[in-house]
Amino acid sequence: PWQCNVALQSRMKRSPRTASALACLCVICTAAAIHCSVAPSARVEADVYLSSAAQPYRALWRECVGSGHAKLALRADYADQLKKTVVEAGAEPLVELSFMPPALARGKTTVFFYQANVNPPMREYMWEDLIHDFAVQVVREFGWDLVRNWMFEIWNEPNLAYDGLAGFLDGDSADYLALVRSTVRGMSRAASDLGLCSEPLQCSCAFRMGGPVTSAGGWLDWFVNHTQLCPGTVSSHVPDAAWGAGDQIPMSFMSTHAYPTDQGKLTQDTVQSWIGALHNAATAAANQSLPFFLSEFNSGLYTPVPEENHDNTFAAAFLAAAMPTLELESPHWPATLTGVSYWTFSDIFEEVLPATRAFYNGYGLQTKDGVPKAAYRAMEFLARAQNSSVARLPLHMRSANAACNVDRAYAFAFHGSATTHVLLTAFAPPLNGVCEFDIRIRLP
């Protein structure tokens, strides 16, 4: 048997001030241990101090969530209904412009069971015309007042290669740059034809486009060297006159994908190393004042059984530790992080064949049958802290067991107008034991 518990104890003197504070203090605990055979034997005593300075809580994880292709609805009319329902619900799609239609592709290389063609176009003008027609159709169907706020990512992980195969783009960075240019030209022509702009740069920036949408934060410095920030973009402080007619491509944002497993095996340092990778992305984006968006993340890509990090409490503990930490660190980064998107909302998505089991370590927050997983519940906890400020609380721990150190635990306070939520998480990588904590909360 394995242990996975956080014990809470209140050992405070009941002064009138303390009693009043306790009436509005909520404590939420999460812990992670996956197939642990032996848990550390020593108990840990920890004091949590509520006196830390706080800053506004932006809930970046609420900005977006990944999902499967609309065609998973099986019928074309269902897919159209689904797209309209999403828009009517007030959601704004983040559109991924990929993959290549076979009739336009210069090769036959495909990935996944649905045969996504990963080749560049035979001729750039073919892709440009397709993008033009697509943009015109979207604006005519949904209206410019809605579409002007949508984000359009150009391709998906063009730098990814695995097992000696082509990955998601059977080409190199030069092929991707050509794809970006033809995409911008197609969108720009659509904006002009729809009467949305009059000047070339204004037309190129009418739609919110971004890239390089790479795996593991790759190609960012290279991409920034070939782009410029669209005038008027949020966080832009550069006057329009500063934009020349050079070879740089106008972009509205920079996006990438980053998973904890990009750095290798999941370890005790997973949270900080993952956030460090995002900080590196912010540093690259700052070179052109580009805001950036993390359009894919979760607690780690597939790991060998029996770890199964997506279906167990590890995913919840990762979110409980990483999301508040990201809230506290990202405002001090050199570029603006505008949001993060968990991949994916449901285990029903297009990269794999339909699952035969409810729990198969799929990426989703929910199973294929709609059963919420631990990660979903962690987001429920984090959602309770809306309209609040957040602070990381110092932990003073006492343990004779070296394995039970302060790096294994996180404590955060979310201060609302009338309530303070304290979130405690005991974070440990899969296959590691989780220490048992006695928590003593001290009020200022």
Side-chain angles (χ1 to χ4, degrees):
W2 50 274
Q3 296 184 33
C4 183
N5 64 315
V6 176
L8 291 178
Q9 298 181 359
S10 295
R11 301 173 179 169
M12 294 171 285
K13 293 181 179 179
R14 296 303 184 92
S15 65
R17 180 184 178 193
T18 300
S20 175
L22 282 175
C24 62
L25 180 66
C26 304
V27 180
I28 302 168
C29 302
T30 69
I34 301 179
H35 296 282
C36 303
S37 57
V38 180
S41 57
R43 296 176 68 89
V44 182
E45 293 185 1
D47 289 339
V48 178
Y49 293 85
L50 286 176
S51 57
S52 297
Q55 62 188 47
Y57 176 54
R58 296 187 292 162
L60 293 166
W61 53 273
R62 293 190 66 132
E63 292 297 319
C64 189
V65 66
S67 68
H69 289 170
K71 67 180 182 181
L72 288 172
L74 301 181
R75 280 176 27 180
D77 56 336
Y78 287 175
D80 289 339
Q81 292 174 30
L82 175 62
K83 287 182 284 189
K84 292 178 180 179
T85 299
V86 168
V87 172
E88 289 171 359
E92 296 175 349
L94 191 158
V95 182
E96 175 191 296
L97 298 172
S98 72
F99 288 95
M100 190 61 59
L104 308 185
R106 74 181 186 193
K108 299 181 179 180
T109 308
T110 61
V111 295
F112 302 130
F113 76 94
Y114 61 91
Q115 303 296 295
N117 192 297
V118 298
N119 294 274
M122 287 185 287
R123 300 287 186 272
E124 287 185 25
Y125 76 84
M126 295 178 172
W127 176 257
E128 178 183 330
D129 289 347
L130 174 65
I131 293 299
H132 167 274
D133 295 348
F134 165 75
V136 169
Q137 173 61 29
V138 167
V139 172
R140 287 176 176 169
E141 182 174 356
F142 295 102
W144 180 238
D145 286 343
L146 289 179
V147 177
R148 69 190 307 165
N149 296 317
W150 295 7
M151 299 169 69
F152 295 86
E153 288 187 318
I154 302 173
W155 213 251
N156 175 67
E157 298 187 350
N159 65 325
L160 181 66
Y162 54 91
D163 295 334
L165 302 178
F168 292 152
L169 179 65
D170 194 0
D172 55 21
S173 58
D175 292 308
Y176 177 68
L177 194 62
L179 196 67
V180 171
R181 291 188 187 282
S182 56
T183 301
V184 172
R185 285 196 299 266
M187 289 289 212
S188 180
R189 281 175 44 209
S192 178
D193 290 349
L194 290 166
L196 305 176
C197 56
S198 56
E199 301 295 330
L201 183 57
Q202 184 185 18
C203 292
S204 296
C205 294
F207 292 90
R208 298 175 64 196
M209 289 176 283
V213 207
T214 41
S215 170
W219 291 5
L220 299 185
D221 290 321
W222 166 85
F223 185 73
V224 165
N225 289 335
H226 290 86
T227 59
Q228 62 178 356
L229 177 66
C230 280
T233 299
V234 175
S235 85
S236 173
H237 301 291
V238 183
D240 291 2
W243 302 111
D247 203 32
Q248 292 179 311
I249 306 170
M251 289 279 109
S252 295
F253 65 94
M254 185 181 78
S255 65
T256 190
H257 301 165
Y259 292 87
T261 43
D262 293 341
Q263 313 301 320
K265 187 177 180 179
L266 298 171
T267 70
Q268 194 60 52
D269 298 325
T270 286
V271 171
Q272 286 305 136
S273 62
W274 177 75
I275 289 177
L278 298 189
H279 180 270
N280 292 338
T283 302
N287 291 331
Q288 283 290 11
S289 301
L290 285 164
F292 81 102
F293 195 94
L294 181 66
S295 52
E296 276 191 29
F297 87 99
N298 59 36
S299 62
L301 297 179
Y302 285 128
T303 54
V305 175
E307 294 188 15
E308 297 186 351
N309 53 299
H310 298 295
D311 286 348
N312 290 290
T313 53
F314 174 81
F318 172 80
L319 287 171
M323 293 300 96
T325 302
L326 189 64
E327 293 281 341
L328 292 167
E329 295 193 14
S330 60
H332 307 291
W333 291 354
T336 302
L337 177 62
T338 57
V340 299
S341 178
Y342 193 92
W343 182 255
T344 177
F345 181 72
S346 169
D347 277 349
I348 301 175
F349 67 104
E350 71 279 0
E351 290 184 2
V352 295
L353 291 168
T356 58
R357 295 181 292 131
F359 294 94
Y360 67 96
N361 200 32
Y363 293 149
L365 293 168
Q366 298 184 343
T367 70
K368 65 182 182 65
D369 302 309
V371 177
K373 301 183 188 178
Y376 184 101
R377 298 305 184 191
M379 287 189 171
E380 277 190 328
F381 291 157
L382 293 168
R384 297 181 189 178
Q386 288 294 288
N387 303 315
S388 66
S389 58
V390 60
R392 183 168 180 180
L393 305 177
L395 281 168
H396 297 273
M397 309 182 70
R398 298 171 297 280
S399 173
N401 188 337
C404 297
N405 55 53
V406 71
D407 293 334
R408 284 182 172 270
Y410 291 77
F412 303 97
F414 297 88
H415 303 291
S417 58
T419 304
T420 289
H421 288 81
V422 175
L423 175 61
L424 306 172
T425 179
F427 178 80
L431 303 181
N432 284 33
V434 173
C435 303
E436 184 174 301
F437 293 94
D438 289 337
I439 304 296
R440 179 168 54 187
I441 298 176
R442 293 183 177 274
L443 299 177

